[in-house]
Amino acid sequence: MGTHAMRVMTAVRQGFIVARTDFAWFYTWKTWLGGWLVRVLCQVAFYSIIGVTVGDPDYVVHVVLGAALMICVAESLMTVASTTWDLNLGTFPLLAASPVVPGGYYFGRSMMWPLSATATTSIAIFTMSLFFDLHWTPADVPLVVVLVLLTSFATYCMALVIGAVALVAPGARNVMSAVVTMAITAFCGAVVPVDFWPSGVGWAAQAVPVTHGLNAIRHLESGADLGVVARSAGLVALVGVVWLTVAMIAFRGLFNHSRRGSASLS
Protein backbone atom coordinates (compact mmCIF):
# COMPACT_ATOMS: atom_id res chain seq x y z
CA MET A 1 0.00 0.00 0.00
CA GLY A 2 1.38 3.39 -1.03
CA THR A 3 2.21 6.27 1.28
CA HIS A 4 -0.78 8.32 0.13
CA ALA A 5 -3.16 5.41 0.64
CA MET A 6 -1.79 4.97 4.17
CA ARG A 7 -2.36 8.67 4.87
CA VAL A 8 -5.93 8.40 3.59
CA MET A 9 -6.64 5.36 5.77
CA THR A 10 -5.16 7.12 8.79
CA ALA A 11 -7.37 10.14 8.13
CA VAL A 12 -10.46 7.92 7.82
CA ARG A 13 -9.61 6.22 11.10
CA GLN A 14 -9.08 9.54 12.86
CA GLY A 15 -12.37 10.85 11.53
CA PHE A 16 -14.17 7.69 12.61
CA ILE A 17 -12.90 8.13 16.17
CA VAL A 18 -14.63 11.52 16.22
CA ALA A 19 -17.78 9.99 14.68
CA ARG A 20 -17.92 7.23 17.27
CA THR A 21 -17.51 9.75 20.10
CA ASP A 22 -20.23 12.00 18.68
CA PHE A 23 -22.64 9.09 18.31
CA ALA A 24 -22.03 7.96 21.90
CA TRP A 25 -22.81 11.52 22.98
CA PHE A 26 -26.08 11.47 21.02
CA TYR A 27 -27.35 8.02 21.94
CA THR A 28 -27.16 5.26 24.48
CA TRP A 29 -28.41 1.85 23.36
CA LYS A 30 -31.62 2.55 25.28
CA THR A 31 -32.34 5.89 23.60
CA TRP A 32 -31.41 4.50 20.18
CA LEU A 33 -33.74 1.52 20.54
CA GLY A 34 -36.53 3.18 22.52
CA GLY A 35 -36.35 6.59 20.90
CA TRP A 36 -34.89 6.75 17.41
CA LEU A 37 -35.80 3.24 16.24
CA VAL A 38 -39.40 3.48 17.49
CA ARG A 39 -39.73 6.86 15.81
CA VAL A 40 -38.60 5.61 12.38
CA LEU A 41 -40.76 2.49 12.59
CA CYS A 42 -43.78 4.71 13.22
CA GLN A 43 -42.77 6.84 10.24
CA VAL A 44 -42.62 3.82 7.92
CA ALA A 45 -45.95 2.55 9.24
CA PHE A 46 -47.53 5.97 8.65
CA TYR A 47 -46.44 6.11 5.00
CA SER A 48 -47.44 2.48 4.51
CA ILE A 49 -51.03 3.38 5.36
CA ILE A 50 -51.09 5.31 2.06
CA GLY A 51 -50.66 2.05 0.18
CA VAL A 52 -53.32 0.33 2.26
CA THR A 53 -55.74 3.20 1.59
CA VAL A 54 -55.20 2.87 -2.17
CA GLY A 55 -56.04 -0.80 -1.86
CA ASP A 56 -53.49 -2.12 -4.34
CA PRO A 57 -51.32 -4.89 -2.79
CA ASP A 58 -48.45 -4.18 -5.18
CA TYR A 59 -48.52 -0.51 -4.25
CA VAL A 60 -48.46 -1.43 -0.56
CA VAL A 61 -45.15 -3.24 -1.14
CA HIS A 62 -43.91 -0.28 -3.20
CA VAL A 63 -44.62 2.23 -0.43
CA VAL A 64 -43.40 0.07 2.46
CA LEU A 65 -40.00 -0.45 0.83
CA GLY A 66 -39.86 3.17 -0.32
CA ALA A 67 -40.62 4.51 3.16
CA ALA A 68 -38.09 2.16 4.74
CA LEU A 69 -35.30 3.14 2.32
CA MET A 70 -36.03 6.81 2.95
CA ILE A 71 -34.85 6.24 6.52
CA CYS A 72 -31.35 5.52 5.26
CA VAL A 73 -31.54 8.64 3.10
CA ALA A 74 -32.70 10.91 5.92
CA GLU A 75 -30.21 9.51 8.40
CA SER A 76 -27.27 9.56 5.99
CA LEU A 77 -28.09 13.18 5.15
CA MET A 78 -27.49 14.11 8.78
CA THR A 79 -23.93 14.17 7.48
CA VAL A 80 -24.64 17.63 6.06
CA ALA A 81 -24.97 19.01 9.58
CA SER A 82 -22.18 17.01 11.21
CA THR A 83 -19.74 18.06 8.48
CA THR A 84 -20.03 21.63 9.78
CA TRP A 85 -19.54 20.79 13.46
CA ASP A 86 -15.77 21.27 13.33
CA LEU A 87 -16.38 24.69 11.83
CA ASN A 88 -18.89 25.61 14.54
CA LEU A 89 -16.62 24.34 17.32
CA GLY A 90 -13.70 26.37 16.00
CA THR A 91 -11.53 23.33 15.30
CA PHE A 92 -11.66 23.62 11.50
CA PRO A 93 -8.61 25.95 11.37
CA LEU A 94 -6.63 23.35 13.33
CA LEU A 95 -7.64 20.70 10.82
CA ALA A 96 -6.68 22.94 7.93
CA ALA A 97 -3.28 23.58 9.52
CA SER A 98 -2.67 19.86 10.03
CA PRO A 99 -1.33 17.45 7.39
CA VAL A 100 -4.60 15.46 7.41
CA VAL A 101 -6.05 14.27 4.09
CA PRO A 102 -9.34 16.23 4.12
CA GLY A 103 -11.42 13.84 2.04
CA GLY A 104 -10.32 10.86 4.12
CA TYR A 105 -11.00 12.65 7.38
CA TYR A 106 -14.50 13.73 6.39
CA PHE A 107 -15.31 10.28 5.03
CA GLY A 108 -14.69 8.93 8.52
CA ARG A 109 -16.04 12.02 10.33
CA SER A 110 -19.74 11.23 9.90
CA MET A 111 -19.62 7.47 9.33
CA MET A 112 -21.90 6.89 12.31
CA TRP A 113 -24.88 7.96 10.18
CA PRO A 114 -24.73 5.38 7.35
CA LEU A 115 -23.90 2.62 9.85
CA SER A 116 -26.88 3.55 12.02
CA ALA A 117 -28.99 3.98 8.88
CA THR A 118 -28.16 0.43 7.78
CA ALA A 119 -29.36 -0.95 11.11
CA THR A 120 -32.54 1.12 11.35
CA THR A 121 -33.54 0.57 7.72
CA SER A 122 -32.93 -3.18 7.83
CA ILE A 123 -34.94 -3.52 11.04
CA ALA A 124 -37.73 -1.42 9.55
CA ILE A 125 -37.93 -3.53 6.40
CA PHE A 126 -38.17 -6.84 8.24
CA THR A 127 -40.48 -5.49 10.95
CA MET A 128 -42.93 -4.05 8.42
CA SER A 129 -42.75 -7.32 6.47
CA LEU A 130 -44.51 -8.97 9.41
CA PHE A 131 -47.53 -6.68 8.99
CA PHE A 132 -47.61 -6.16 5.22
CA ASP A 133 -47.42 -8.55 2.29
CA LEU A 134 -43.66 -8.68 1.80
CA HIS A 135 -41.97 -12.01 1.18
CA TRP A 136 -38.33 -12.89 1.85
CA THR A 137 -36.56 -16.21 1.71
CA PRO A 138 -33.87 -16.95 4.32
CA ALA A 139 -31.26 -16.36 1.61
CA ASP A 140 -32.74 -12.92 0.91
CA VAL A 141 -32.13 -11.61 4.43
CA PRO A 142 -28.35 -11.06 4.19
CA LEU A 143 -28.76 -9.74 0.64
CA VAL A 144 -31.25 -7.13 1.86
CA VAL A 145 -28.83 -6.00 4.57
CA VAL A 146 -25.98 -5.76 2.05
CA LEU A 147 -28.15 -3.74 -0.35
CA VAL A 148 -29.21 -1.40 2.45
CA LEU A 149 -25.58 -0.99 3.52
CA LEU A 150 -24.55 -0.22 -0.05
CA THR A 151 -27.38 2.29 -0.49
CA SER A 152 -26.63 3.96 2.84
CA PHE A 153 -22.95 4.46 2.02
CA ALA A 154 -23.63 5.61 -1.53
CA THR A 155 -26.11 8.14 -0.15
CA TYR A 156 -23.50 9.10 2.42
CA CYS A 157 -21.08 9.90 -0.40
CA MET A 158 -23.70 12.19 -1.93
CA ALA A 159 -24.29 13.79 1.46
CA LEU A 160 -20.57 14.53 1.78
CA VAL A 161 -20.76 16.69 -1.35
CA ILE A 162 -23.67 18.64 0.13
CA GLY A 163 -21.75 18.83 3.41
CA ALA A 164 -18.81 20.41 1.57
CA VAL A 165 -21.20 23.07 0.28
CA ALA A 166 -22.52 23.52 3.82
CA LEU A 167 -19.01 24.34 5.01
CA VAL A 168 -19.23 27.46 2.84
CA ALA A 169 -22.79 28.29 3.96
CA PRO A 170 -23.20 26.60 7.38
CA GLY A 171 -26.33 28.56 8.23
CA ALA A 172 -28.19 26.80 5.43
CA ARG A 173 -27.13 23.25 6.35
CA ASN A 174 -30.52 22.12 7.69
CA VAL A 175 -32.36 23.69 4.76
CA MET A 176 -30.07 21.85 2.34
CA SER A 177 -30.62 18.43 3.90
CA ALA A 178 -34.40 18.99 4.26
CA VAL A 179 -34.82 20.10 0.63
CA VAL A 180 -32.72 17.21 -0.68
CA THR A 181 -34.64 14.69 1.45
CA MET A 182 -37.99 15.99 0.18
CA ALA A 183 -36.80 15.97 -3.43
CA ILE A 184 -35.54 12.40 -3.17
CA THR A 185 -38.78 11.28 -1.52
CA ALA A 186 -40.84 12.85 -4.30
CA PHE A 187 -38.79 12.03 -7.40
CA CYS A 188 -36.69 8.90 -6.78
CA GLY A 189 -39.36 6.23 -6.54
CA ALA A 190 -40.10 6.09 -2.82
CA VAL A 191 -43.82 6.91 -3.11
CA VAL A 192 -44.54 6.97 -6.85
CA PRO A 193 -42.56 5.31 -9.67
CA VAL A 194 -39.81 7.40 -11.25
CA ASP A 195 -41.45 7.14 -14.67
CA PHE A 196 -44.50 9.01 -13.30
CA TRP A 197 -42.46 12.23 -13.66
CA PRO A 198 -41.30 13.98 -16.85
CA SER A 199 -38.29 12.36 -18.52
CA GLY A 200 -35.93 15.14 -17.37
CA VAL A 201 -36.76 14.42 -13.74
CA GLY A 202 -36.30 10.72 -14.39
CA TRP A 203 -32.84 11.28 -15.83
CA ALA A 204 -31.86 13.44 -12.85
CA ALA A 205 -33.10 10.73 -10.47
CA GLN A 206 -30.57 8.31 -11.94
CA ALA A 207 -27.82 10.35 -10.26
CA VAL A 208 -29.30 9.56 -6.82
CA PRO A 209 -28.12 6.27 -5.27
CA VAL A 210 -31.39 5.36 -3.59
CA THR A 211 -33.17 5.26 -6.98
CA HIS A 212 -31.13 2.19 -7.87
CA GLY A 213 -31.13 0.85 -4.31
CA LEU A 214 -34.91 0.81 -4.32
CA ASN A 215 -34.92 -1.01 -7.66
CA ALA A 216 -32.51 -3.63 -6.35
CA ILE A 217 -34.50 -4.38 -3.19
CA ARG A 218 -37.83 -4.38 -5.02
CA HIS A 219 -36.44 -6.79 -7.62
CA LEU A 220 -35.20 -9.03 -4.82
CA GLU A 221 -38.57 -8.99 -3.03
CA SER A 222 -40.43 -9.82 -6.24
CA GLY A 223 -38.21 -12.85 -6.86
CA ALA A 224 -36.41 -11.46 -9.89
CA ASP A 225 -33.23 -13.03 -11.21
CA LEU A 226 -30.17 -12.21 -9.11
CA GLY A 227 -28.49 -10.81 -12.20
CA VAL A 228 -31.15 -8.08 -12.35
CA VAL A 229 -30.61 -7.33 -8.66
CA ALA A 230 -26.84 -7.23 -9.19
CA ARG A 231 -27.15 -4.74 -12.07
CA SER A 232 -29.12 -2.33 -9.89
CA ALA A 233 -26.67 -2.84 -7.03
CA GLY A 234 -23.81 -2.11 -9.42
CA LEU A 235 -25.46 1.18 -10.38
CA VAL A 236 -25.74 2.09 -6.69
CA ALA A 237 -22.02 1.49 -6.26
CA LEU A 238 -21.12 3.36 -9.45
CA VAL A 239 -23.16 6.43 -8.54
CA GLY A 240 -21.72 6.34 -5.03
CA VAL A 241 -18.15 6.27 -6.36
CA VAL A 242 -18.87 9.28 -8.58
CA TRP A 243 -20.27 11.25 -5.62
CA LEU A 244 -17.32 10.21 -3.45
CA THR A 245 -14.88 11.41 -6.09
CA VAL A 246 -16.62 14.78 -6.25
CA ALA A 247 -16.58 14.97 -2.43
CA MET A 248 -12.83 14.26 -2.27
CA ILE A 249 -12.15 17.02 -4.81
CA ALA A 250 -14.45 19.46 -3.00
CA PHE A 251 -12.89 18.93 0.43
CA ARG A 252 -9.38 19.20 -0.98
CA GLY A 253 -10.32 22.48 -2.67
CA LEU A 254 -11.89 23.87 0.51
CA PHE A 255 -8.85 22.98 2.60
CA ASN A 256 -6.48 24.47 0.04
CA HIS A 257 -8.59 27.63 0.06
CA SER A 258 -8.53 27.77 3.88
CA ARG A 259 -4.79 27.07 4.02
CA ARG A 260 -4.26 30.12 1.85
CA GLY A 261 -5.90 32.21 4.59
CA SER A 262 -9.58 32.33 3.62
CA ALA A 263 -11.58 33.94 6.41
CA SER A 264 -14.82 32.40 5.09
CA LEU A 265 -13.87 28.96 6.43
CA SER A 266 -12.00 29.94 9.58
Side-chain angles (χ1 to χ4, degrees):
M1 185 179 291
T3 303
H4 180 70
M6 289 294 295
R7 291 182 62 224
V8 171
M9 293 303 297
T10 298
V12 172
R13 180 179 59 82
Q14 292 169 339
F16 183 70
I17 291 171
V18 179
R20 186 177 58 195
T21 303
D22 279 342
F23 196 74
W25 184 80
F26 267 97
Y27 293 114
T28 65
W29 68 269
K30 291 181 181 179
T31 57
W32 189 87
L33 286 173
W36 174 247
L37 182 59
V38 171
R39 181 261 191 204
V40 296
L41 288 175
C42 290
Q43 176 179 311
V44 176
F46 174 79
Y47 280 105
S48 300
I49 293 172
I50 298 174
V52 175
T53 302
V54 171
D56 183 345
D58 291 336
Y59 187 63
V60 172
V61 174
H62 183 96
V63 173
V64 170
L65 292 177
L69 260 292
M70 283 310 302
I71 295 172
C72 82
V73 172
E75 197 163 1
S76 295
L77 280 168
M78 291 180 183
T79 300
V80 178
S82 58
T83 298
T84 68
W85 288 348
D86 293 310
L87 189 63
N88 296 337
L89 291 171
T91 54
F92 184 87
L94 298 175
L95 282 170
S98 74
V100 71
V101 178
Y105 171 78
Y106 276 104
F107 184 78
R109 173 68 179 84
S110 299
M111 200 181 289
M112 68 282 200
W113 300 130
L115 292 175
S116 176
T118 299
T120 51
T121 303
S122 299
I123 292 171
I125 288 174
F126 295 122
T127 300
M128 292 300 108
S129 296
L130 300 175
F131 301 98
F132 300 96
D133 195 24
L134 277 73
H135 304 288
W136 310 104
T137 67
D140 288 339
V141 174
L143 292 177
V144 170
V145 176
V146 169
L147 289 172
V148 171
L149 178 66
L150 181 61
T151 303
S152 296
F153 268 91
T155 304
Y156 176 55
C157 293
M158 182 183 72
L160 287 172
V161 175
I162 305 169
V165 177
L167 280 174
V168 180
R173 63 187 186 183
N174 292 333
V175 175
M176 292 179 192
S177 58
V179 169
V180 171
T181 300
M182 289 188 294
I184 292 175
T185 303
F187 301 127
C188 295
V191 180
V192 296
V194 175
D195 57 15
F196 170 82
W197 302 104
S199 58
V201 175
W203 277 107
Q206 304 309 307
V208 180
V210 75
T211 302
H212 308 291
L214 278 167
N215 287 338
I217 291 179
R218 284 171 176 151
H219 286 317
L220 184 64
E221 192 278 335
S222 66
D225 184 79
L226 286 180
V228 176
V229 177
R231 280 194 292 272
S232 293
L235 287 172
V236 177
L238 176 61
V239 173
V241 168
V242 172
W243 282 110
L244 180 60
T245 302
V246 174
M248 297 299 105
I249 295 171
F251 283 122
R252 184 173 59 191
L254 287 169
F255 268 56
N256 288 341
H257 191 53
S258 181
R259 286 163 178 167
R260 290 194 297 266
S262 170
S264 63
L265 294 177
S266 59

